[in-house]
Amino acid sequence: MAEAWRVIAREERDELGEGPVWSARHNAIFWVDILSHFLYRYSLADGAVKRWTLPERIGWVAERRDRPGFIAGLQSGFFELDLEPFALRQIVDPEPHYPGNRLNDAKVDRHGRIWAGTMDAAIVEATGSLYCLRPDMSVRRVDEGYKVTNGPTFSLGQEFMYHTDSGRGTVYRFDLSPEGELSNKRVWLKFTAEMGSPDGMTVDADGFIWIAHWGGSRISRWSPDATLDREILLPAPQITSVAFAGPSLDRMFVTSAAKGLDRSKETFAGSLFEVDAGGVRGVAPGLFAG
């Protein structure tokens, strides 16, 4: 690449691109445009982009381990999602008492559990919580009091889970037991105003954490002790999430948002980028075991 990045060619730009996830089954990257209710698939085989329209805001999809299809996080809760043919079945709404909340970001651990956060869609109240959806389809609230939940990811050995409150510019680290219990919540990293806000995250094969900077026009790589290792600048201000892809997990894709921006001036806002990660490889995403 002449630059450290390239834009994936397509007709649209995302109002709020988020949730990139690699699917080995489809040889593709999936991601969402939350505010436009879209789910996208970018084929690594031929570069084709396909789009599905959901009936409400969609924050993420997680692939299932033992059967085709996905679990999806929508405005009104957790859903089973099949694409061909299209079918959507609600599992549970974890917050019927907060109709203004929506699911925002999620990851699957190596035991096949989904960890997903909610947030006030208006970004006013700190009514967001962190939930765990287990393979038996039961859901449990494990933390609360968030303004904008984002980016859950895990340490390489999954003894720790990282979770972000973008509204407070803070990444927290929890101890995570094999049984799925969280404990010892503490601040792992605090962004300064100049850095923007921490958004989506992923871990690489060396155990370093990559973070997307909303309002910071970049992604960054951090050691487990929260030391900055490197930054990659991108030509869009609102960078939302990052994921590794490809059979060797050596290709990096980054989502962004055009929400609230002048698109005539911010030419690349809302693009899906492929970024040169300098030879770093990722870790295969977890698959939901239910």
Side-chain angles (χ1 to χ4, degrees):
M1 300 179 183
E3 299 276 358
W5 52 269
R6 72 179 182 96
V7 173
I8 302 303
R10 58 193 175 107
E11 294 181 0
E12 306 93 346
R13 283 192 281 159
D14 298 325
E15 188 72 6
L16 183 52
E18 258 288 8
V21 62
W22 158 246
S23 166
R25 182 181 294 160
H26 293 269
N27 189 26
I29 275 279
F30 287 84
W31 80 100
V32 301
D33 182 345
I34 296 175
L35 299 181
S36 301
H37 305 186
F38 294 150
L39 170 65
Y40 287 97
R41 182 182 68 200
Y42 171 66
S43 169
L44 270 60
D46 59 11
V49 176
K50 184 167 182 177
R51 187 181 79 184
W52 293 265
T53 302
L54 280 294
E56 56 189 58
R57 293 173 176 177
I58 175 170
W60 49 268
V61 295
E63 197 164 19
R64 304 178 82 160
R65 186 184 68 191
D66 300 322
R67 53 153 291 175
F70 301 83
I71 303 298
L74 273 66
Q75 175 87 32
S76 58
F78 296 89
F79 284 75
E80 295 181 284
L81 172 63
D82 294 310
L83 297 180
E84 295 169 350
F86 185 90
L88 196 62
R89 298 171 294 276
Q90 188 176 46
I91 300 168
V92 63
D93 179 357
E95 295 180 340
H97 52 295
Y98 284 134
N101 276 16
R102 63 172 177 82
L103 283 163
N104 190 53
D105 207 352
K107 285 287 193 310
V108 187
D109 69 21
R110 64 183 176 187
H111 298 285
R113 298 174 292 237
I114 294 176
W115 301 86
T118 61
M119 60 173 282
D120 174 16
I123 320 179
V124 174
E125 303 294 335
T127 53
S129 292
L130 176 62
Y131 292 88
C132 180
L133 179 69
R134 297 176 178 269
D136 64 2
M137 298 298 187
S138 64
V139 67
R140 184 166 60 99
R141 187 172 66 184
V142 294
D143 200 18
E144 59 186 326
Y146 290 85
K147 293 186 72 176
V148 182
T149 55
N150 250 314
T153 195
F154 310 96
S155 61
L156 204 53
Q158 297 207 359
E159 68 273 28
F160 303 117
M161 187 177 79
Y162 302 86
H163 190 235
T164 290
D165 190 336
S166 300
R168 295 183 171 92
T170 302
V171 182
Y172 300 98
R173 187 168 78 173
F174 299 81
D175 294 345
L176 173 62
S177 75
E179 296 74 32
E181 299 296 328
L182 296 182
S183 61
N184 194 21
K185 178 183 180 181
R186 62 274 200 196
V187 173
W188 178 71
L189 180 64
K190 182 82 172 177
F191 269 32
T192 64
E194 294 74 24
M195 297 165 69
S197 299
D199 206 310
M201 301 187 289
T202 195
V203 66
D204 65 30
D206 299 317
F208 284 63
I209 307 297
W210 292 81
I211 304 177
H213 292 231
W214 176 277
S217 303
R218 73 195 66 188
I219 56 174
S220 57
R221 185 182 192 238
W222 301 79
S223 68
D225 66 357
T227 299
L228 179 63
D229 174 74
R230 75 182 71 163
E231 296 180 315
I232 299 175
L233 299 179
L234 293 164
Q238 296 171 167
I239 305 301
T240 56
S241 196
V242 55
F244 288 91
S248 300
L249 293 164
D250 58 352
R251 298 176 66 178
M252 175 183 279
F253 292 87
V254 175
T255 50
S256 68
K259 175 188 176 185
L261 301 177
D262 183 341
R263 295 191 184 206
S264 66
K265 296 179 180 177
E266 296 291 350
T267 308
F268 297 107
S271 297
L272 175 68
F273 299 96
E274 182 169 7
V275 177
D276 182 357
V280 175
R281 294 175 185 264
V283 174
L287 303 174
F288 181 64

